[in-house]
């Protein structure tokens, strides 16, 4: 029982880090030169990091919720 309780937070941390990394890589496809003003390198990098965290955390939470709900659904039958 203890191993199950300890793995859920670890799984959540790994999932969040994984999806934040994936979203950061995906955001690299955006050309910030067309959107952001010139000479704003630090602000652009900060924006990319914050967007990556927001998107990655949301996607990770979605997949963790789906995983939790599918496990709960299986116990009903």
């Amino acid at each position: 029982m203890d191993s199950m309780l300890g793995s859920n937070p670890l799984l959540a941390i790994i999932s969040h880090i994984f999806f934040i990394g994936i979203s950061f890589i995906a955001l690299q496809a955006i050309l910030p030169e067309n959107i952001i003003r010139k000479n704003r390198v630090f602000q652009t990098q900060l924006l990319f990091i914050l967007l990556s965290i927001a998107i990655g955390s949301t996607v990770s939470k979605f997949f963790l919720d789906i995983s939790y709900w599918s496990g709960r659904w299986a116990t009903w039958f």
Side-chain angles (χ1 to χ4, degrees), residues 10-11 17 20-22 28 31-32 37 41 46-47 49 51-52 55 60-63 67 69-71:
L10 182 61
L11 177 65
I17 290 172
I20 289 170
I22 293 291
Q28 298 299 314
L31 297 174
R37 291 186 290 176
V41 176
L46 186 61
L47 177 65
I49 290 169
L51 282 174
S52 297
I55 294 169
S60 176
K61 177 129 177 60
F62 170 76
F63 279 106
S67 173
W69 293 332
S70 66

Side-chain angles (χ1 to χ4, degrees), residues 2-70:
D2 289 329
S3 65
M4 290 180 65
L5 292 174
S7 66
N8 286 339
L10 182 61
L11 177 65
I13 291 170
I14 291 170
S15 175
H16 277 67
I17 290 172
F18 175 76
F19 283 109
I20 289 170
I22 293 291
S23 64
F24 185 77
I25 292 169
L27 283 173
Q28 298 299 314
I30 296 175
L31 297 174
E33 296 85 20
N34 298 336
I35 302 168
I36 309 297
R37 291 186 290 176
K38 293 182 179 183
N39 299 324
R40 301 290 181 161
V41 176
F42 177 73
Q43 288 89 352
T44 304
Q45 290 173 344
L46 186 61
L47 177 65
F48 270 77
I49 290 169
L50 293 175
L51 282 174
S52 297
I53 292 170
I55 294 169
S57 297
T58 304
V59 172
S60 176
K61 177 129 177 60
F62 170 76
F63 279 106
L64 290 171
D65 284 345
I66 292 293
S67 173
Y68 174 74
W69 293 332
S70 66

